[in-house]
Each structure stands twice: as structure tokens, then as C-alpha cells.
């Protein structure tokens, strides 16, 4: 699904999605008090697509505001975003085609490097304290 398809589909949800110029390195933000998701308008369509899924998951969980990177709810949402956007069969085929060229793989999957890295961390993380 492309970013514009997502925007159209999300128009039926009881949450407002707007684009804005966000401060600093913020890509997106969910404001629970007003039920508004803001997406930085300067992002590429690929980044907007990933950010929208990420913020919609915060909305669904009722996570208020923009949390810091290391919080539990942030990790949960990043994990779910990666699982939602990446098809494991497609990834396996691309890994055969491109080896470790993660940029090309992310480009083919239409996801950001961060989403791809989050997904690979889930796949290859065998640590017991996951
Ligand atoms: Zn987040």
C-alpha cells in the first residue's frame, strides 16, 4: 500500500491525520488529547508511509505524545511497524538478490533503513532478554 492509499484508508478512522513542519528530527507525532497524528511534510513518501504506520500504532495503543527512543512502548511500536510493513518471503528473496546491500533491500521493500533494521533485529535477535 502506498502512502496515499494509506491516507485514503485512514480517512475512515476516528483520528485526524495532518502534515506539518515538525521540530528537530521528529518525523511524526501522535497527540492523544486531540486525536491528531502529524507527519512531517518534508519526508520522502517511503518515510511518510513508515511514520504513518508507526503513529497509527501509537494511536491504537493510546500512547500519548511522543516518547523517547528507549521506552518500552516505543520499542513495541517499532517492532509492530516492522512486522506490519515487511513480508518475510519478500525479504528472504531480496536478501538472496542483494546480499548485505541493505539500502537496496529497503528501497525495494519501500521502507526506511530503520524499519528494515528493526525487522532484522527481531529475526536475528536470539538473546534471552528480548
Ligand atoms: Zn513512536
Amino acid at each position: 500500500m502506498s502512502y496515499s492509499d494509506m491516507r485514503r484508508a485512514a480517512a475512515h478512522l476516528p483520528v485526524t491525520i495532518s502534515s506539518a513542519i515538525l521540530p528537530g528530527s521528529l518525523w511524526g507525532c501522535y497527540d492523544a488529547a486531540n486525536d491528531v497524528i502529524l507527519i512531517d511534510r518534508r519526508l520522502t513518501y517511503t518515510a511518510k508511509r513508515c511514520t504513518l504506520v508507526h503513529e497509527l500504532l501509537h494511536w491504537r495503543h493510546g500512547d500519548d505524545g511522543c516518547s523517547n527512543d528507549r521506552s518500552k512502548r516505543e520499542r513495541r511500536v517499532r517492532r509492530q511497524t516492522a512486522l506490519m510493513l515487511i513480508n518475510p518471503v519478500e525479504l528472504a528473496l531480496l536478501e538472496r538478490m542483494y546480499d548485505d546491500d541493505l539500502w537496496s533491500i529497503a528501497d525495494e521493500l519501500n521502507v526506511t533503513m530503520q524499519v528494515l533494521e528493526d525487522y532484522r533485529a527481531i529475526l536475528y535477535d536470539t538473546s534471552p532478554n528480548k
Side-chain angles (χ1 to χ4, degrees):
M1 219 192 239
S2 71
Y3 179 66
S4 33
D5 290 339
M6 279 183 190
R7 282 290 300 260
R8 252 193 305 277
H12 303 287
L13 298 172
V15 58
T16 305
I17 299 162
S18 296
S19 58
I21 304 282
L22 297 178
S25 58
L26 207 57
W27 284 18
C29 181
Y30 168 57
D31 174 6
N34 301 300
D35 254 338
V36 171
I37 288 173
L38 295 176
I39 307 286
D40 194 296
R41 64 167 83 240
R42 294 162 299 186
L43 298 177
T44 63
Y45 279 108
T46 298
K48 283 180 179 175
R49 179 173 181 265
C50 297
T51 305
L52 179 57
V53 169
H54 180 109
E55 298 305 331
L56 281 170
L57 286 164
H58 276 310
W59 165 73
R60 205 175 70 181
H61 290 301
D63 293 343
D64 190 22
C66 308
S67 53
N68 76 64
D69 272 2
R70 284 181 305 274
S71 71
K72 207 171 188 177
R73 64 187 194 186
E74 186 60 21
R75 281 204 313 269
R76 174 179 64 180
V77 161
R78 278 175 59 170
R79 202 182 144 87
Q80 291 174 344
T81 300
L83 289 171
M84 198 168 273
L85 286 172
I86 295 181
N87 177 314
V89 177
E90 206 180 339
L91 176 63
L93 288 170
L94 291 169
E95 281 178 339
R96 284 191 66 128
M97 280 171 69
Y98 293 108
D99 289 317
D100 283 330
D101 180 4
L102 296 184
W103 286 101
S104 298
I105 294 173
D107 190 51
E108 291 274 356
L109 291 170
N110 193 15
V111 297
T112 60
M113 280 296 282
Q114 189 191 73
V115 169
L116 178 58
E117 280 164 2
D118 287 345
Y119 192 87
R120 287 167 59 94
I122 298 164
L123 276 191
Y124 302 120
D125 181 12
T126 51
S127 67
N129 56 359
K130 187 167 67 175

